[in-house]
Amino acid sequence: MIDEHLDSLLSDRLAAIERAKSDGVKVVGYFPGPYVPEELVYASGALPVCLAHGGNAQVADRALSLLPPVICPFARAQVGEMLLKTSQVYKAIDMLVVPSTCQHLRKTGDVWEYYEATQVFKLGVPYDPGEGLALTYYRARLDDLRARLESLTGRTITDVSLGDAVGVYNRLREALRNISLMRRDALPAISGLEFMKLNHASLWCDPSSVADVLETVHRKRLAAEPVARAGTPRLLLVGPNVAVGDYGILEMVEGAGASIVIEDVFEGVRDYWRDVRDGGDVLDAMVRARLVDRAPAAFMRSSTRPRFDFISKLIRDFQVSGVIWYELMCCEFYDQDAYFFEDRLRAMDIPMLVIESNYDDVRSGSVRTRLEAFLEVVRGGAAHA
């Protein structure tokens, strides 16, 4: 049922993009992460589309003509898509929003700006979030983005239209949250792979249509048979990025008889835990939702403790018995953090397995062997991952 819904959503979105190009409606692409406010794009009358395809080593390697191999495979995949022009979505972009969340994406934005005629807006994100100057700076950048979008579309973003857009995306986040919370059940009625695909659909399809589908899925799955058996290891997936199409890790885990029941992934997965609060200035509420109300990202100062506290809460709430740390090659932040998190999790008696991907096949024999040994540890066996 879920795949049928996803196929319909994708088909509708591609048709909408084609109509938009014919009718002069603008398409605004953005790189993933929680700091690009889709509500602003939506309120401007443009079509917001997250550029989050990945998982294909050949596409990522195509970018090696312009980028060095020290750039992570996801960032390279975006340049590869730009060069290959085989995706209708990537070809349709009239403006690209690039958040300054890591040097890899920042450089990808530079390359895109140099080689393409597409407008590029570089969205500064403060490294020291909280009260004061960080909020003022980020608010100013959103004001600049608002002005740029109005210039692009010729449409004024009013407080009313922005408030309406926030309502649409709050509904979308609530629907994702309700489905995700189903996975707290001892025998979940939805798999980690299914949830990931639904989450990804929310990034590139019409938000109202996705919310309709998510609410239908939630209602039907409440009465559905569980997708896991009793005793199935319950895992938390942590990492910098899971791209649209990068499903090898989820397929391998489920094929090995385990379940990913929750994830804490920075890019490529929508942050659905917190809504934008009603009341007051809408842009101020959007700023607080992204910089104050959520755990800080790995690139931010003093982020380690709140991030570990958030992961610890997920482990308790979702009865997690093991952690898969899925990092991309050359991702400095997560490579450095892996050592600390593994040590702290060991003190909680939670084993952790680090898997690094360059978009080669993570389902290879060596990785599969390590995963099987890890699951033996999770189940209480004597093997060592």
Side-chain angles (χ1 to χ4, degrees), residues 245 247-249 251-253 360-368:
Y247 299 129
I249 181 64
E251 293 169 347
M252 184 175 65
V253 167
D360 42 10
D361 191 356
V362 297
R363 291 162 292 194
S364 64
S366 60
V367 178
R368 186 180 300 278

Side-chain angles (χ1 to χ4, degrees), residues 2 19 82 85 97 109 149 190 202 311 323 330 344:
I2 286 179
R19 289 194 304 271
M82 179 199 79
K85 292 182 169 56
V97 183
L149 289 167
I190 189 166
S202 78
I311 285 176
V323 173
C330 301
R344 293 298 302 274

Side-chain angles (χ1 to χ4, degrees), residues 309-326:
D309 289 345
F310 179 65
I311 285 176
S312 299
K313 184 177 186 304
L314 293 179
I315 289 173
R316 294 191 301 270
D317 291 350
F318 287 81
Q319 304 170 60
V320 167
S321 51
V323 173
I324 299 287
W325 187 278
Y326 179 65

Side-chain angles (χ1 to χ4, degrees), residues 234-237 315 319-324 350-352 374 378:
R234 299 171 60 86
L235 305 180
L236 162 66
L237 178 67
I315 289 173
Q319 304 170 60
V320 167
S321 51
V323 173
I324 299 287
I350 300 291
M352 180 177 120
F374 171 73
V378 173

Side-chain angles (χ1 to χ4, degrees), residues 299-316:
F299 71 91
M300 293 175 167
R301 294 187 180 98
S302 304
S303 66
T304 304
R305 182 180 296 278
R307 287 174 54 231
F308 184 80
D309 289 345
F310 179 65
I311 285 176
S312 299
K313 184 177 186 304
L314 293 179
I315 289 173
R316 294 191 301 270

